[in-house]
Amino acid sequence: MLFWIFLVGGLAARYAAGRRILGGALLLCVPLIDVVLLGATVLSIQDGAGPTVWHGLSAAYLGITVVYGHRTVRWADAKFARRFGGSSAPPRPKLHGRAAVVDAWKSWFRFLLAYAISVGLIFGLVVLAGTFDKGAPLLVWLNPLTKVLVYSLIWPIVTTIWPGKEPEQAPEREQEPEPEPEQATENG
């Protein structure tokens, strides 16, 4: 939740209020929220709190925001810049054929990285808890994360099999050369 509060607050300060320095400072706090979240989770478990599903959620969330946080900030910044800063819309990507296949696989590998970070953090918290029995509530998050990883594999596979064709463009008409202006002759 704090991620979104600092993100929207920073962008609103930057574009809507015209306070670029304040907006930049708030946006710099966005990745710090992840560090604070991880620290609070680790301290909570070290202080003897029994690991809960919420601790597991923080590990899953952290893995996802590490990978997608910067992209989300860039996307939101472009939207705010267009809405409040008068910027033009960025060009839409043309994802057909090979470009669509490459984009689909990049997207899946990006989630694979987020998955690996989340799972690593979850198992790190289980080790911190002491035993698998104590850390069992943390492991609950492996199920939905793994399902999303497997289900999200469908799109790259389908795109690889049927990449789609580039839409046909209207053929350009050849322009007739302009007639040269008549030159005056010396005789008359």
Side-chain angles (χ1 to χ4, degrees), residues 6-19 22-23 26-27 80 84:
F6 277 89
L7 176 62
V8 172
L11 293 172
R14 175 183 275 183
Y15 294 108
R19 311 254 336 250
L22 175 63
L26 290 171
L27 290 174
F80 266 76
F84 297 105

Side-chain angles (χ1 to χ4, degrees), residues 16-97:
R19 311 254 336 250
R20 295 192 65 78
I21 294 173
L22 175 63
L26 290 171
L27 290 174
L28 283 175
C29 291
V30 170
L32 293 177
I33 293 167
D34 293 339
V35 174
V36 170
L37 176 64
L38 179 61
T41 302
V42 168
L43 287 175
S44 175
I45 292 175
Q46 277 183 337
D47 287 344
T52 65
V53 172
W54 299 109
H55 290 105
L57 174 61
S58 71
Y61 171 81
L62 189 60
I64 291 169
T65 58
V66 164
V67 174
Y68 290 101
H70 182 68
R71 292 174 61 87
T72 304
V73 170
R74 273 196 341 239
W75 170 83
D77 187 53
K79 295 292 183 186
F80 266 76
R82 182 174 181 214
R83 174 74 172 99
F84 297 105
S87 294
S88 61
R92 297 189 75 127
K94 297 178 181 174
L95 298 178
H96 303 58

Side-chain angles (χ1 to χ4, degrees), residues 72-144:
T72 304
V73 170
R74 273 196 341 239
W75 170 83
D77 187 53
K79 295 292 183 186
F80 266 76
R82 182 174 181 214
R83 174 74 172 99
F84 297 105
S87 294
S88 61
R92 297 189 75 127
K94 297 178 181 174
L95 298 178
H96 303 58
R98 181 172 167 80
V101 174
V102 168
D103 184 67
W105 283 105
K106 277 183 180 179
S107 179
W108 187 80
F109 279 113
R110 201 173 290 120
F111 187 75
L112 178 63
L113 177 61
Y115 175 84
I117 292 169
S118 296
V119 169
L121 289 170
I122 288 170
F123 278 109
L125 292 176
V126 168
V127 168
L128 191 62
T131 65
F132 275 105
D133 290 340
K134 287 182 182 176
L138 301 167
L139 299 173
V140 166
W141 286 100
L142 295 178
N143 184 19

